[in-house]
């Protein structure tokens, strides 16, 4: 038993080391996109903090969701946040599963490049909308009489830049249309729906997002319009941006396929043929034997040097 455990642990460690080396190479090529996406998350939080200074509490607007869904109350408002935390952590861990599991359909760095691109595009639209019109917040701490409903004039620019994290994020007001929680959840679920492998998990993920939508309204964190606008805006943004971005490489073709560039006409098939020692001509699809980095053909040794470029 101990021998089996030791052997499996050795395999796992080799897999982690190999995957780490690959991801580091990808990170070296795409670090600007990752860093830019992370910086924009801070800018999005800064914008949400800024609109809180403009927020003016008032009567809660008439909302059909408030009539149909029972109010959870401030004591149970944590339920929607708990569901969102589960969605966020589950997706985050899934993006790192190639380091542990044998299933290697995605590359962690490349998947986060796409996710951050979707988030940034949606958040830009969100910033525009909640600065265009400030609605009275329906959340309990945003109502008239609450000390958090209005922010006093900042004493210094540093107070604004620090955004009072995380309290300033959890108790913000005015950044309503459209829901930030729904942006993250829909981007995560759509990404897993495309690149995930388990249909049952996909169905559960979509069901959880629907439940989260109802809980957000029931906890009075957003109006129904904030959730509805998020549903069609995020899906449309992801749909159009996903068509513009280069497709992720298919790991089922081997590790070398990762670093093969697409040809001008968008076909990767010809590159695979050349790498395998076959020409583009179907008549030249002859079997070749590879020995120690050399390809044997009709008894002659042909040295092949493949130059691999990053995606």
């Amino acid at each position: 038993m101990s021998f089996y455990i030791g052997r499996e642990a050795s395999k796992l460690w080799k897999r982690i080391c190999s995957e780490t080396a690959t991801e580091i190479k990808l990170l070296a090529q795409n670090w600007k996109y990752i860093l830019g996406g992370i910086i924009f998350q801070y800018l999005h939080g800064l914008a949400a903090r800024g609109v809180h200074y403009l927020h003016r509490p008032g009567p809660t607007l008439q909302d059909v969701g408030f009539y149909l869904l029972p109010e959870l109350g401030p004591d149970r408002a944590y339920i929607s946040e708990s569901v969102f935390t589960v969605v966020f952590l589950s997706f985050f861990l899934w993006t790192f599963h190639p380091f542990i599991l044998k299933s290697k359909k995605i590359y962690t760095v490349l998947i986060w490049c796409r996710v951050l691109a979707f988030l940034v595009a949606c958040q830009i639209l969100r910033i525009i909308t909640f600065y265009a019109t400030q609605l009275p917040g329906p959340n309990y701490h945003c109502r008239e009489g609450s000390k958090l409903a209005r922010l006093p004039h900042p004493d210094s620019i540093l107070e604004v830049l620090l955004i009072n994290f995380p309290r300033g994020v959890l108790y913000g007001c005015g950044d309503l249309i459209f829901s930030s929680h729904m942006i993250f959840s829909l981007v995560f679920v759509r990404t897993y729906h495309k690149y995930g492998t388990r249909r049952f998990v996909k169905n559960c993920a979509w069901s959880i997002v629907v439940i989260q939508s109802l809980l957000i309204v029931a906890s009075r964190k957003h109006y129904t319009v904030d959730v509805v606008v998020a549903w069609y805006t995020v899906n449309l943004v992801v749909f159009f941006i996903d068509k513009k971005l280069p497709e992720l490489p298919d790991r089922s073709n081997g590790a070398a396929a990762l670093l093969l560039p697409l040809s001008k006409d968008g076909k990767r098939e010809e590159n695979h043929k050349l790498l395998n020692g076959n020409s583009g001509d179907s008549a030249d699809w002859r079997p070749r034997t590879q020995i120690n980095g050399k390809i044997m053909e009709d008894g002659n040794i042909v040295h092949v040097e493949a130059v691999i470029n990053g995606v």
Side-chain angles (χ1 to χ4, degrees), residues 129-292:
T129 55
F130 67 61
Y131 266 103
T133 303
Q134 291 88 47
L135 303 178
N139 211 334
Y140 304 105
H141 64 268
C142 298
R143 298 177 184 179
E144 192 70 54
S146 173
K147 296 180 180 180
L148 299 175
R150 296 178 182 226
L151 288 182
H153 192 274
D155 297 329
S156 64
I157 188 64
L158 185 61
E159 180 181 341
V160 179
L161 295 178
L162 293 179
I163 66 175
N164 193 21
F165 185 84
R167 183 178 177 85
V169 176
L170 297 176
Y171 294 96
C173 298
D175 56 328
L176 293 175
I177 300 177
F178 41 97
S179 171
S180 180
H181 286 64
M182 292 303 301
I183 291 178
F184 280 89
S185 298
L186 287 171
V187 167
F188 291 165
V189 172
R190 281 190 63 97
T191 303
Y192 182 81
H193 184 86
K194 182 175 182 178
Y195 297 106
T197 57
R198 300 185 180 277
R199 180 176 298 180
F200 174 76
V201 177
K202 295 179 183 180
N203 294 333
C204 288
W206 283 111
S207 300
I208 291 175
V209 175
V210 173
I211 294 173
Q212 180 187 334
S213 303
L214 301 176
L215 290 174
I216 288 176
V217 177
S219 60
R220 303 305 187 252
K221 294 183 177 181
H222 281 277
Y223 294 107
T224 305
V225 65
D226 305 337
V227 176
V228 172
V229 171
W231 266 97
Y232 62 74
T233 302
V234 176
N235 281 291
L236 287 174
V237 168
V238 173
F239 174 77
F240 285 107
I241 293 183
D242 187 62
K243 296 182 67 175
K244 298 296 182 180
L245 294 176
E247 189 52 75
L248 292 184
D250 187 4
R251 299 194 69 167
S252 61
N253 291 331
L258 161 67
L259 303 176
L260 280 176
L262 287 170
S263 58
K264 292 183 179 180
D265 58 356
K267 296 181 180 180
R268 192 187 297 269
E269 182 180 357
E270 297 297 328
N271 292 328
H272 285 292
K273 294 174 183 177
L274 294 175
L275 181 64
N276 294 328
N278 291 324
S279 66
D281 187 3
S282 59
D284 194 30
W285 289 6
R286 291 169 293 179
R288 290 161 169 82
T289 304
Q290 182 172 349
I291 302 177
N292 295 330

Side-chain angles (χ1 to χ4, degrees), residues 12-30 96 98-100 104 106-110 251 255 258-259 308 310-311:
L12 177 60
W13 176 248
K14 291 180 180 179
R15 187 181 306 126
I16 293 175
C17 292
S18 175
E19 195 68 24
T20 301
T22 301
E23 295 292 346
I24 289 176
K25 293 179 181 178
L26 290 174
L27 183 60
Q29 300 163 6
N30 299 278
F96 286 89
F99 287 83
I100 305 297
K104 299 179 179 180
I106 65 169
Y107 292 96
T108 303
V109 170
L110 299 183
R251 299 194 69 167
L258 161 67
L259 303 176
I308 301 178
V311 174

Side-chain angles (χ1 to χ4, degrees), residues 1-9:
M1 178 63 69
S2 60
F3 172 77
Y4 175 78
I5 296 176
R7 184 180 61 180
E8 292 301 316

